[in-house]
Amino acid sequence: MVNLVALSASNAARFSQVKLTRAAEFTPVAQRLVSAAAKARYQAVAARTGVPWFVIAVIHERECSQSWRGSLAQGDPWDRKSVHVPAGRGPFSSWEDCAVDALVNCAPYAARWKDWSAGGTMTLLEQYNGLGYAAKGVASPYVWSGTDQYRSGKYVADHVYRADVVDHQLGCAGLIIAMAAIDTSVQFGAPAASNVVPIVRKTAQPVVPAHPASVPAPAAPSLTHPAAGSIGAWITSLFKRAA
C-alpha cells in the first residue's frame, strides 16, 4: 500500500525542482484552460466541491482533452450512463453536475481532500489516475509527462506496465506551471496538517469547507509580487537563480 504522506513529500520535492521539457506545447493548452469562459465553468464546480478550479481544469484536460461533452470522471459522455470506470454514473443534466459527481462521489473523492499545497495537489492528481506508478517508485506520467521528472513508463492496459513506453500526453504539473505563468490566481494552499475527511452527502450538495482561495486576501498577488509559497514565487525564484 502506498504511503500518501511519503508520496506527498516526494511530489513536493519533485515540484520544487521541476523543469518543463516541452514548454512550447504546454502554453497553448494552458491558454485554453484559463480562458474566461472555461475558468468560469471550473470556478462554478469549485464553489460546489472545494476543489481548486485549476485542478479541475487539468483533470478535464487529461481525462478528455477539455471536451465539454466528456465526463471529468473518465471521459465518457455525461448525458448517458458511463461504461468505463467508474461505470454506471449518470446520465446528468449538465457537464457541471457530472463534474461535481466525479469529484464528490467517485474515487479518489477529491472533494474530501484537504492538502492543496504543491505536494498535496500532485498527490491528489496522481491518485486520480491510480497509484500503480507510485507503487513501482516511478514518476507518474499523468502528473509529470512533459517535464524532466518523467522519461518513460506507462500502463498500456489495466495492470499492464511497460517501462519502454512513453506517455506523450501533457502532465498535470506542467499544465499548472504553464497556467500560473498566465493567470496569477493559480495558487497553491498551505500544507494541511491532516487530510480529515468531511461528511459528504451522496445525493446532494457536498458538505465541504470553503477553499482558502474563496477567502479575500489582504493584498492580491501579482506577477511582480507573487504570494509567498505560490507557483509564481517559485517561478520568480528560478529567474533570480538564473540571473
Side-chain angles (χ1 to χ4, degrees), residues 45-105:
V45 175
R48 296 170 64 183
T49 62
V51 179
W53 72 268
F54 59 90
V55 174
I56 298 168
V58 297
I59 293 172
H60 192 200
E61 176 65 24
R62 280 293 308 198
E63 294 299 324
C64 52
S65 301
Q66 206 191 14
S67 169
W68 298 103
R69 300 302 304 167
S71 167
L72 207 67
Q74 72 298 80
D76 287 354
W78 51 258
D79 58 354
R80 64 193 71 170
K81 188 171 291 188
S82 62
V83 296
H84 296 97
V85 178
R89 310 303 302 177
F92 298 94
S93 60
S94 67
W95 178 86
E96 284 79 2
D97 285 349
C98 180
V100 170
D101 178 75
L103 298 171
V104 173
N105 298 324

Side-chain angles (χ1 to χ4, degrees), residues 137-152:
V138 299
S140 166
Y142 192 89
V143 179
W144 303 108
S145 182
T147 78
D148 62 348
Q149 299 300 305
Y150 172 75
R151 293 182 180 177
S152 66

Side-chain angles (χ1 to χ4, degrees), residues 3-238:
N3 183 320
L4 293 183
V5 174
L7 181 59
S8 292
S10 175
N11 280 332
R14 285 185 184 279
F15 196 87
S16 70
Q17 58 189 357
V18 67
K19 294 180 176 62
L20 303 186
T21 56
R22 294 157 57 193
E25 295 177 51
F26 279 106
T27 299
V29 180
Q31 289 171 335
R32 276 198 285 106
L33 296 177
V34 303
S35 68
K39 182 177 178 180
R41 299 187 75 171
Y42 296 138
Q43 287 178 320
V45 175
R48 296 170 64 183
T49 62
V51 179
W53 72 268
F54 59 90
V55 174
I56 298 168
V58 297
I59 293 172
H60 192 200
E61 176 65 24
R62 280 293 308 198
E63 294 299 324
C64 52
S65 301
Q66 206 191 14
S67 169
W68 298 103
R69 300 302 304 167
S71 167
L72 207 67
Q74 72 298 80
D76 287 354
W78 51 258
D79 58 354
R80 64 193 71 170
K81 188 171 291 188
S82 62
V83 296
H84 296 97
V85 178
R89 310 303 302 177
F92 298 94
S93 60
S94 67
W95 178 86
E96 284 79 2
D97 285 349
C98 180
V100 170
D101 178 75
L103 298 171
V104 173
N105 298 324
C106 303
Y109 306 102
R112 308 183 193 186
W113 192 250
K114 308 289 276 186
D115 185 356
W116 297 112
S117 64
T121 298
M122 300 308 127
T123 298
L124 181 278
L125 289 167
E126 186 160 352
Q127 289 179 84
Y128 209 92
N129 182 239
L131 294 173
Y133 297 99
K136 289 182 175 295
V138 299
S140 166
Y142 192 89
V143 179
W144 303 108
S145 182
T147 78
D148 62 348
Q149 299 300 305
Y150 172 75
R151 293 182 180 177
S152 66
K154 179 178 173 61
Y155 279 91
V156 295
D158 287 346
H159 311 297
V160 180
Y161 176 79
R162 285 186 52 184
D164 61 319
V165 176
V166 176
D167 186 339
H168 294 288
Q169 191 176 358
L170 298 175
C172 295
L175 287 170
I176 290 174
I177 291 169
M179 292 167 69
I182 302 169
D183 187 330
T184 58
S185 73
V186 177
Q187 299 280 337
F188 290 131
S194 64
N195 244 324
V196 178
V197 177
I199 298 171
V200 179
R201 293 194 294 270
K202 288 291 187 179
T203 57
Q205 183 74 7
V207 181
V208 293
H211 186 263
S214 67
V215 180
S222 67
L223 287 173
T224 54
H225 295 88
S230 70
I231 306 172
W234 172 79
I235 293 174
T236 300
S237 71
L238 285 182

